[in-house]
Amino acid sequence: DTWTALTSEQQAAVINNGSGSCVPVAGYGYNATSSSAYVCPVGTYSAGYTQAACSSCGTGLLTNATGATSYNSCCEFAGYEL
């Protein structure tokens, strides 16, 4: 499996049909200004495979770690009522 030999940043840069455009994997967003992938910060998520920024979990919701891959990773943080 070649994925295990790559760093997370290398895994994020998936080549799209040989075009050379960066298409991030799940847990990564895309910065159109710098044309680069980045790991989704806490409080955001991305299903990946699109040139879009990470999506926000919304007010009062966080993820437990960086690199969340779905909205299901978002949870209410202590002391905040939705």
Side-chain angles (χ1 to χ4, degrees):
D1 185 22
T2 57
W3 285 109
T4 57
L6 301 175
T7 67
S8 56
E9 288 77 18
Q10 289 169 324
Q11 290 177 27
V14 176
I15 302 302
N16 185 16
N17 296 325
S19 68
S21 61
C22 178
V23 181
V25 295
Y28 286 79
Y30 182 76
N31 182 320
T33 303
S34 64
S35 298
S36 62
Y38 63 93
V39 67
C40 292
V42 169
T44 66
Y45 64 94
S46 174
Y49 304 101
T50 181
Q51 287 186 331
C54 298
S55 299
S56 173
C57 288
T59 303
L61 299 174
L62 290 176
T63 55
N64 290 327
T66 60
T69 59
S70 76
Y71 181 78
N72 292 335
S73 300
C74 300
C75 56
E76 186 178 336
F77 62 88
Y80 191 90
E81 290 188 34
L82 295 176

